[in-house]
Amino acid sequence: MVKKDIPVTKFRWYSWILAIVLLLVGGISLVVNGGFNLGVDFESGLSQRIQVAPAGLSVSYSGSEDATLSITGSSLSLEMRGSEGVAVTLFKSASYPTASDLAAALNAVDKITATAIDGSLLTANLLSGYGFPATLSQEPTKLNFKATGAVSIEEIRSALNDLGNVKVQTIGASDSQTFQVRLGIKDNDTQSSMEEAVRGALDSYFGKGSVVVLSSDYIGAKFSANLLSSSILAIIVAMALILVYVWFRFKFAYAVSSLIALLHDVLMLLGVIALFRFEFSSTTIAALLTIIGYSLNNTIVIFDRVRENVSLNKSASLAAQIDKSVTQSMSRTIMSAVTTLVAILPLAIFASGDIRMFAINMGFGILFGTYSSNLLAPTMLYWISKAQKKANVVQKVVTAE
Amino acid sequence: MKKRSRLVIVLLVILMCGFFLYPTLKWYGGVPQSTKELATGSNVQIKEYSRGQASRDLRALKELVAKDSLTILPDEYGYLKEQAKANYKAMKKPVPKTWTVAALFGGFYNEQDLFDSCEQYYRTELLGLKALSAKALQLGLDLRGGMSILLEADVKAFEAKKGSSATAAQVTAAVKQDIEILEKRIDQFGVSEPVIRLQGTDQILIEVPGAADPERVNSFLRGKGSLEFKMVDTALTTQLDAYYKANPSEVYTDSGALKQPDFLPAGKLAAGYYVSDSYGIDELDRFVVIEEEVGLDGSHLESATTSTDGITGRPVVNFQLDSVGGDVFYKLTSTHVNETLAVVMDGKVKAMATITQGIRNSVQISGFNAAEANDLAIVLRTAALPIELTVSSQQAVGATLGEDAVAAGLKAIALGLLLVVLLMFGYYHVSGLVANLALLFNVVIMLSVLSAFNFTLTLTSVAGLILTLGMAVDTNVIIFERIKEERRLGKSDIASVRAGFDKAFWTVMDANITTIIAALVLSQLGSSSVKGFANTLAIGIVSSVFTALFVSHLIFDAAVTDREGKKLHISWRKN
């Protein structure tokens, strides 16, 4: 069975023109969109994830043990840690469907006082946020319930309007009532002053205790600057070391070609991130570096084949050898891309947050990496080798004279 | 490499994986949730719990004896039999045949001895479990919720205090002292399994898993340890000592705090004299009665160092007081010559010394060994951080947010894994199953290496894990495709397998070495979350090369040599 080789070198101009056009699209969208959508890691300030949810229950404790309340799924668990060990009581929403049922059950526990603020709320909608598991004290702890109401993003914006430099985004479906709030640092702002400012503004607009903070991240100015510079440094150092290794194991032309292919992958992925306004976080850096590793892996497998074929048959032209090598590696290339994509796809669909973004970035990266390893790196190798040969010939002629 | 040596290596690796994974399996599989919660408490909580339980058991036993000393010992106190037996033997008395309550009491020298045995039982159990949990693979903060705080040294304030510019080495040394102090402090706040470590040269990373209660953590960071100098009442101390010795069950309340006996007059306090103990925290050594009134407040302390006395050669602790403190201290010491002064930290007596003369600013305390002197110097320094810290970043994740992410993530990983397994079988037939076996083995190796190095499993390291699974399959794919090609050239199965593995070897090595270069650079230069990813990736690359070149190779060799004449299935197609 003799298969015809894929004419990779013949189509070299088309492959490169397509790559350059796509890179331009990425570059233009970066300019149009006004830079990257930098994640909280890279932009100093306070970033909070909040959910609008009314307080339905307040609980206080007057005893001397360590009492903590935590919410898992739709059930509430009360943990008493004292000299007699740890006692955990679970209140399932199936047994106590409403806030007033739950209040009655909690009141039955020694030294615990629970008051229903809105007894009709369903305990299946209990919400756990920042500050949970909560340590109970005389000071009442409020329990919030997911709301069905429709607070719009505009209302959040106008609530926080006075704070100045605020960005608000909706997270998930609009009926989940969850928002991301970002606040830039002004002079003399500390984390707690910013947190209080946000809380105060929301309380005065929506009523006290009806907004739950799900997570709160604070990034100092120096930290974000450090993170960016250390990430860029990591990428540059990694690429330089890889260049040295490939140079050592193969030849200079191979090293430069593989590096140019890598540069293409990194720039393409950055272009996609700019085009779709994906958040650029430290996980993005991880994805970029993984793609460098993955694409390089692909390129090396093909180059390995080129080197082998060249040493086996010195008379054939380099273009034919390259076409043959790419074709021989094709089934491996496809299998490897498909298995990796298949492992990552469920994460891109079902996972959430950072890990989902990582998977999406990886998916694009695998496509770009496969493209560059098969079409860009080998043709670049062809060009550089040809140029080197020409230079060698010229040099020989010069020495002969 | 011979097949046999390859088999031996594979078996050794399996054994090692078992050894490193055992704590993880035991911790997550065999320990009940309530015990887990107790064991992951801080050492102070464990201590209070053990003491409380011991007091309760001792009281219950005393009640039983008082009611009917011939009652058969209830099973719940059976743990005491062992020690009682040993004591009977040591006392050269016959070991009783039936264990009545009276027989049990006979097996202990005194009540204190019995109390200690009770406490030791509870303590050993929980501390053992705590050690186990430290060896088990732990979930990172992003997966189980918690708080991470990055603190940065305030170099400007440090220089201003010092009066000259500070080198990076000096700052790092001061930050290390801060860490030492924070570690001592954090345990007293009952925070479980905290991580405190130096990051870079001038930053401290603190991670507190579980309860993301910002108030509590902040109070710990702000809270300066209270250090005081107080006078000791020697006569009352002797009386108190005798009273506690006679009534060991009256020493603590149920919550493990010290009981104040009734005979102490107002203005006097019973306090424990503490040394570092088997919990690694302060253990009560004996009791002293101190004045409630503070002789000197620790805020006047400027520095504390250890040195050796030039004449006697014994270790001494030197500390400097500011001018106001010097005046107060001189007044105090000159009026109390030949009396004992106690160094009290957070209500605990940490050191005592006899005053020989009136002292002003520069104080020297002697009378302990080198380790004790060093400890005291640390205690004195703990009163204030050598270099002030500011919050550089603080991130908190609600535990539930983490839980949802974990559930979705795990489901997605399982699905991805399943798809890869099916795909490999679908494409490579039986050989695909070999690759799948290597893949599963790979997961086991990675998890055991992660737990062996005490890495925590974070979201990004899970991502690294998934990527590695893809790469592990890829290594097998490279080899399989090569074997197929060799067979297409008309070679026999044995020759194809050999040629396939030989020719693919350097391809696999080159491809993986370049990737590991990227992983290692990241693990050195990346931010902490990227580091987790890079570490997992690096481990995964090594283990995937190992599983392909050893495990898959071994199975293939066995398959082609032992099943002579049968066809090697590396594809569903007939070629």
Side-chain angles (χ1 to χ4, degrees):
Chain A
M1 186 178 66
V2 178
K3 268 194 281 184
K4 214 167 166 252
D5 289 340
I6 304 164
V8 175
T9 43
K10 198 174 149 194
F11 294 123
R12 57 185 182 274
W13 292 109
Y14 300 107
S15 326
W16 275 96
I17 287 168
L18 178 64
I20 288 166
V21 167
L22 288 177
L23 283 175
L24 282 177
V25 170
I28 291 167
S29 56
L30 181 63
V31 174
V32 171
N33 284 332
F36 290 110
N37 174 16
L38 282 182
V40 64
D41 298 357
F42 290 102
E43 222 173 13
S44 55
L46 180 74
S47 167
Q48 289 195 324
R49 192 179 279 220
I50 57 166
Q51 184 164 3
V52 180
L57 204 61
S58 82
V59 187
S60 57
Y61 175 66
S62 58
S64 63
E65 299 193 343
D66 265 354
T68 46
L69 266 188
S70 53
I71 298 165
T72 24
S74 60
S75 59
L76 181 81
S77 79
L78 173 67
E79 183 190 303
M80 298 284 228
R81 188 193 284 274
S83 55
E84 306 292 306
V86 180
V88 179
T89 327
L90 204 63
F91 301 94
K92 291 204 169 89
S93 66
S95 324
Y96 309 99
T98 67
S100 49
D101 295 339
L102 190 61
L106 280 168
N107 274 322
V109 181
D110 192 28
K111 290 183 181 139
I112 286 213
T113 322
T115 331
I117 299 165
D118 180 351
S120 65
L121 288 168
L122 296 179
T123 51
N125 294 329
L126 265 175
L127 184 64
S128 164
Y130 183 48
F132 271 89
T135 310
L136 295 181
S137 64
Q138 308 267 25
E139 188 72 23
T141 302
K142 293 220 166 70
L143 294 181
N144 297 67
F145 293 73
K146 281 174 210 154
T148 45
V151 173
S152 69
I153 189 163
E154 275 72 34
E155 284 179 84
I156 303 278
R157 284 211 180 100
S158 49
L160 298 172
N161 205 17
D162 293 343
L163 298 181
N165 180 18
V166 183
K167 276 191 242 171
V168 184
Q169 280 176 307
T170 315
I171 294 178
S174 67
D175 61 345
S176 76
Q177 299 280 292
T178 311
F179 304 92
Q180 180 93 36
V181 175
R182 283 211 212 139
L183 192 59
I185 298 185
K186 277 178 288 183
D187 303 337
N188 302 324
D189 268 348
T190 64
Q191 180 194 4
S192 51
S193 76
M194 288 163 85
E195 278 177 356
E196 266 165 40
V198 172
R199 169 141 300 272
L202 291 171
D203 277 351
S204 65
Y205 194 92
F206 294 104
K208 204 167 158 48
S210 53
V211 174
V212 177
V213 178
L214 298 177
S215 73
S216 177
D217 293 351
Y218 169 79
I219 303 292
K222 198 174 164 195
F223 178 82
S224 56
N226 275 346
L227 187 64
L228 195 62
S229 60
S230 77
S231 304
I232 292 171
L233 182 70
I235 292 184
I236 291 173
V237 171
M239 283 176 97
L241 286 177
I242 287 165
L243 177 79
V244 171
Y245 180 80
V246 180
W247 193 350
F248 167 72
R249 285 280 306 152
F250 295 80
K251 273 183 196 161
F252 183 67
Y254 289 75
V256 175
S257 320
S258 54
L259 215 65
I260 291 176
L262 288 190
L263 209 60
H264 159 267
D265 302 336
V266 171
L267 293 179
M268 279 297 275
L269 193 53
L270 289 177
V272 165
I273 291 167
L275 182 67
F276 294 112
R277 303 285 292 144
F278 289 157
E279 192 178 77
F280 193 94
S281 65
S282 54
T283 336
T284 315
I285 299 282
L288 277 173
L289 276 139
T290 316
I291 287 310
I292 291 181
Y294 177 87
S295 163
L296 193 71
N297 197 314
N298 266 338
T299 310
I300 296 294
V301 170
I302 290 168
F303 279 7
D304 208 60
R305 216 48 198 267
V306 175
R307 185 174 57 176
E308 191 188 322
N309 284 331
V310 167
S311 68
L312 282 178
N313 180 2
K314 294 212 160 87
S315 61
S317 75
L318 185 63
Q321 299 283 33
I322 287 175
D323 291 351
K324 189 178 172 196
S325 306
V326 171
T327 313
Q328 280 175 334
S329 312
M330 191 47 77
S331 52
R332 176 265 160 188
T333 306
I334 293 174
M335 242 344 246
S336 145
V338 170
T339 45
T340 318
L341 276 177
V342 147
I344 272 175
L345 203 65
L347 279 176
I349 299 170
F350 301 114
S352 57
D354 273 358
I355 205 160
R356 177 158 179 262
M357 273 327 293
F358 175 83
I360 292 174
N361 286 334
M362 275 295 297
F364 278 108
I366 288 167
L367 294 182
F368 301 143
T370 309
Y371 182 82
S372 73
S373 304
N374 285 283
L375 300 175
L376 301 185
T379 51
M380 187 48 79
L381 176 67
Y382 173 75
W383 275 322
I384 295 178
S385 300
K386 234 171 55 172
Q388 274 180 331
K389 210 177 262 172
K390 218 172 169 182
N392 272 345
V393 170
V394 170
Q395 207 173 19
K396 265 180 200 158
V397 171
V398 169
T399 36
E401 279 171 357
Chain B
M1 201 182 283
K2 285 235 178 77
K3 239 192 286 177
R4 183 169 301 165
S5 48
R6 215 178 266 141
L7 181 67
V8 169
I9 291 177
V10 170
L11 289 178
L12 275 178
V13 170
I14 293 177
L15 271 180
M16 260 171 59
C17 287
F19 174 74
F20 286 123
L21 270 185
Y22 173 73
T24 305
L25 294 177
K26 193 178 170 198
W27 176 254
Y28 288 104
V31 182
Q33 187 59 34
S34 57
T35 323
K36 254 188 220 168
E37 272 163 20
L38 272 176
T40 51
S42 71
N43 282 351
V44 170
Q45 282 170 334
I46 291 181
K47 183 176 188 166
E48 281 173 359
Y49 171 77
S50 308
R51 280 204 313 221
Q53 291 289 302
S55 293
R56 194 197 59 182
D57 283 6
L58 186 58
R59 264 203 312 276
L61 284 169
K62 277 169 82 177
E63 268 170 36
L64 281 176
V65 164
K67 222 197 278 167
D68 177 8
S69 67
L70 291 179
T71 322
I72 297 295
L73 185 71
D75 277 348
E76 54 195 291
Y77 306 112
Y79 66 87
L80 289 165
K81 281 185 203 163
E82 200 87 355
Q83 184 60 40
K85 258 185 220 166
N87 285 347
Y88 269 116
K89 276 176 195 153
M91 288 185 259
K92 304 225 158 62
K93 283 191 204 159
V95 177
K97 287 213 174 56
T98 47
W99 285 96
T100 59
V101 187
L104 183 79
F105 270 84
F108 288 90
Y109 297 96
N110 51 38
E111 259 183 50
Q112 185 61 47
D113 187 25
L114 180 56
F115 178 83
D116 288 347
S117 292
C118 294
E119 194 198 338
Q120 194 193 348
Y121 165 74
Y122 289 106
R123 179 182 66 206
T124 319
E125 190 192 355
L126 287 179
L127 287 185
L129 280 173
K130 194 170 181 177
L132 180 73
S133 91
K135 280 191 216 134
L137 189 60
Q138 294 291 353
L139 295 181
L141 291 190
D142 48 354
L143 292 184
R144 64 167 155 168
M147 188 175 224
S148 96
I149 306 158
L150 189 67
L151 298 166
E152 198 173 276
D154 190 344
V155 181
K156 272 189 197 140
F158 181 61
E159 283 175 345
K161 201 166 111 188
K162 208 165 143 272
S164 62
S165 64
T167 63
Q170 284 171 331
V171 172
T172 305
V175 172
K176 279 187 182 150
Q177 280 185 19
D178 277 9
I179 292 179
E180 211 170 83
I181 291 164
L182 290 177
E183 272 170 353
K184 292 231 164 219
R185 236 187 237 174
I186 202 163
D187 216 50
Q188 294 163 2
F189 279 83
V191 183
S192 65
E193 301 169 75
V195 174
I196 304 183
R197 62 166 181 263
L198 182 70
Q199 187 152 309
T201 56
D202 61 347
Q203 293 178 325
I204 301 176
L205 180 73
I206 300 183
E207 292 186 326
V208 186
D213 187 347
E215 280 304 305
R216 209 152 147 191
V217 176
N218 283 338
S219 72
F220 142 75
L221 288 175
R222 272 198 310 271
K224 291 190 173 181
S226 78
L227 180 75
E228 294 151 347
F229 295 90
K230 288 179 172 178
M231 296 312 299
V232 175
D233 190 317
T234 324
L236 277 173
T237 299
T238 321
Q239 197 188 335
L240 180 75
D241 225 25
Y243 168 75
Y244 279 154
K245 282 221 173 80
N247 309 289
S249 64
E250 291 304 311
V251 180
Y252 303 110
T253 62
D254 275 4
S255 61
L258 203 62
K259 267 188 192 172
Q260 292 289 339
D262 303 329
F263 60 80
L264 287 183
K268 309 272 179 179
L269 276 179
Y273 177 53
Y274 289 82
V275 287
S276 234
D277 72 342
S278 41
Y279 292 92
I281 50 173
D282 302 331
E283 163 133 75
L284 191 63
D285 186 58
R286 56 181 189 269
F287 303 99
V288 285
V289 177
I290 50 175
E291 301 278 348
E292 204 164 0
E293 188 194 344
V294 178
L296 175 71
D297 189 333
S299 62
H300 296 295
L301 196 73
E302 280 191 329
S303 69
T305 52
T306 55
S307 64
T308 325
D309 188 302
I311 301 161
T312 60
R314 304 199 53 177
V316 289
V317 177
N318 305 300
F319 58 91
Q320 293 285 328
L321 298 171
D322 61 13
S323 59
V324 181
D327 290 344
V328 177
F329 203 60
Y330 183 74
K331 224 177 267 168
L332 181 76
T333 47
S334 52
T335 51
H336 289 89
V337 176
N338 286 332
E339 287 181 40
T340 309
L341 179 75
V343 179
V344 186
M345 170 102 183
D346 292 329
K348 296 172 184 169
V349 177
K350 289 300 182 77
M352 290 192 288
T354 309
I355 298 165
T356 46
Q357 67 198 68
I359 313 167
R360 200 167 281 278
N361 300 37
S362 184
V363 190
Q364 191 175 67
I365 316 179
S366 61
F368 10 69
N369 64 34
E372 284 168 350
N374 206 22
D375 280 350
L376 179 63
I378 291 173
V379 167
L380 293 177
R381 284 202 296 259
T382 312
L385 296 171
I387 187 161
E388 285 298 311
L389 301 167
T390 53
V391 176
S392 178
S393 83
Q394 178 166 350
Q395 294 177 292
V397 183
T400 320
L401 211 66
E403 256 168 45
D404 288 348
V406 174
L410 286 181
K411 220 187 278 169
I413 290 168
L415 188 62
L417 201 62
L418 183 74
L419 287 174
V420 170
V421 164
L422 289 177
L423 187 69
M424 288 300 281
F425 179 62
Y427 194 74
Y428 291 114
H429 200 258
V430 180
S431 304
L433 292 182
V434 175
N436 289 338
L437 188 72
L439 179 70
L440 293 183
F441 194 33
N442 210 21
V443 177
V444 174
I445 291 181
M446 289 188 68
L447 289 180
S448 60
V449 174
L450 283 176
S451 37
F453 282 103
N454 247 328
F455 287 137
T456 48
L457 202 62
T458 59
L459 220 56
T460 45
S461 57
V462 170
L465 201 87
I466 298 157
L467 184 75
T468 321
L469 298 185
M471 295 181 56
V473 177
D474 181 51
T475 308
N476 280 295
V477 168
I478 293 177
I479 296 167
F480 290 177
E481 290 298 328
R482 208 63 209 235
I483 294 176
K484 271 190 187 174
E485 271 179 54
E486 297 297 324
R487 226 167 44 176
R488 256 180 248 137
L489 295 173
K491 289 189 185 169
S492 72
D493 280 354
I494 297 183
S496 309
V497 167
R498 186 172 305 144
F501 273 96
D502 284 352
K503 285 189 178 170
F505 179 79
W506 274 110
T507 315
V508 168
M509 288 311 271
D510 280 339
N512 283 295
I513 287 172
T514 42
T515 315
I516 213 171
I517 288 175
L520 289 180
V521 168
L522 270 188
S523 75
Q524 293 309 307
L525 298 179
S527 64
S528 64
S529 65
V530 173
K531 266 185 190 153
F533 167 79
N535 288 333
T536 329
L537 188 62
I539 296 167
I541 291 165
V542 175
S543 85
S544 71
V545 170
F546 169 79
T547 48
L549 296 184
F550 282 79
V551 181
S552 303
H553 200 165
L554 200 65
I555 298 174
F556 265 99
D557 274 354
V560 289
T561 47
D562 296 349
R563 295 167 63 244
E564 202 74 55
K566 286 185 186 167
K567 194 156 169 10
L568 174 69
H569 291 288
I570 201 159
S571 159
W572 294 90
R573 273 179 288 175
K574 290 182 201 155
N575 64 348

